[in-house]
Amino acid sequence: MSDIRKTEEKGFPRVKPATDIVEAEDGFYIYMDMPGVSKEALVIDLNEDEIKVSGRSAYPAPDGEKLIHVEFGNGEYYRGFTLSHIVDKSRIKATLKNGVLELHLPKAEKAQPRKIDIQMG
Amino acid sequence: MVIDFSPFFGAQSPLERVFEAIWSPTLPISQRPYAYPPLNISEDQDRILVHCEIPGMDISEIDLSLTDSSLVIKGERQPAKGKYYRQERPTGAFQRVVNIQSPIDRDKVSAKMKDGLLEIVIPKSDGAKPKKISIDIA
């Protein structure tokens, strides 16, 4: 890796992506806003109970254009979560669409609600 | 249950906490102290470029219109179905208006979207481009 690349990496501010955590019937869903992050630039690490998501947004560099108004820039998105035993780690699914990462965390069989028959005495 | 631990953001200074409260993404769009969605504007001799971060939306869901002197970006972000444990992503209707002061070629304005990043290219009309005038020196 060249020195220039290293300096560029240092210059990227670390951003916490806006995140929603939703529980639905078929498990939990984590949605993360990561605009500008392509599939290739996204890394999801699952280590025991920790899931770490990182991705670099690639805002197209101005090509001879003069920037007149700036409200966002390049950034390195990073966020981590701890999963509880309710989540079936072997069936976690990730989808990246339109700059939103969707993580589907299905509940483990044990965690599914169980109906208990009541017998009348 | 999923717990957010965000290890790199745990130790915050009081000043950072104040900033986080002001810039909190959990606020509804209408109560935010800054405009949503964020946009960047750049230009060169031939065109004006508008970049806008609107993750989670398809280009068909975004309403783009050109008035005499402005570009209007409109849309609405829908919440997901289910029980929310944490909600930081903004939802609801949004609108941004970009004033355009130079004459533009309205028929050639184009827009595309990739990875939640909207790019609008507005070509300038010939009248807006700087003209070179040759001066004959006698």
Side-chain angles (χ1 to χ4, degrees), chain A residues 62-69, chain B residues 41-50 102 122 124:
Chain A
D63 184 23
E65 291 129 15
K66 189 174 68 175
L67 277 168
I68 0 182
H69 181 84
Chain B
I41 307 165
S42 56
E43 72 170 337
D44 62 12
Q45 279 195 0
D46 305 317
R47 57 187 193 164
I48 299 166
L49 269 170
V50 178
S102 47
I122 307 164
K124 290 182 184 174

Side-chain angles (χ1 to χ4, degrees), chain B:
Chain B
M1 187 57 205
V2 188
I3 303 152
D4 175 19
F5 73 92
S6 302
F8 286 88
F9 299 91
Q12 278 183 322
S13 71
L15 188 70
E16 278 176 315
R17 275 202 295 274
V18 169
F19 271 103
E20 188 155 284
I22 295 169
W23 295 94
S24 170
T26 51
L27 282 173
I29 292 170
S30 57
Q31 288 171 27
R32 289 173 153 231
Y34 58 97
Y36 186 88
L39 51 86
N40 288 354
I41 307 165
S42 56
E43 72 170 337
D44 62 12
Q45 279 195 0
D46 305 317
R47 57 187 193 164
I48 299 166
L49 269 170
V50 178
H51 284 104
C52 194
E53 281 190 336
I54 320 178
M57 290 195 72
D58 197 71
I59 195 147
S60 60
E61 299 169 310
I62 296 164
D63 179 13
L64 284 175
S65 52
L66 269 173
T67 66
D68 278 347
S69 60
S70 56
L71 166 80
V72 184
I73 306 163
K74 265 199 264 186
E76 189 166 353
R77 274 179 37 133
Q78 304 289 347
K81 285 192 180 91
K83 182 184 169 194
Y84 269 89
Y85 284 102
R86 178 182 280 271
Q87 186 172 16
E88 295 173 357
R89 299 165 66 230
T91 56
F94 59 81
Q95 172 174 295
R96 296 258 1 218
V97 181
V98 180
N99 274 320
I100 301 163
Q101 277 143 11
S102 47
I104 55 159
D105 201 341
R106 299 168 63 93
D107 301 329
K108 287 186 185 152
V109 174
S110 65
K112 64 175 181 185
M113 194 145 186
K114 194 181 175 255
D115 301 327
L117 203 64
L118 174 71
E119 183 185 82
I120 306 156
V121 182
I122 307 164
K124 290 182 184 174
S125 70
D126 288 339
K129 291 175 193 169
K131 268 188 198 132
K132 268 226 160 110
I133 303 163
S134 59
I135 302 163
D136 290 328
I137 299 162

Side-chain angles (χ1 to χ4, degrees), chain A residues 39-57:
Chain A
K39 206 176 156 188
E40 295 74 36
L42 182 74
V43 182
I44 305 168
D45 277 331
L46 179 67
N47 184 15
E48 304 227 339
D49 286 343
E50 284 178 18
I51 189 159
K52 286 176 185 172
V53 178
S54 63
R56 181 173 294 193
S57 71

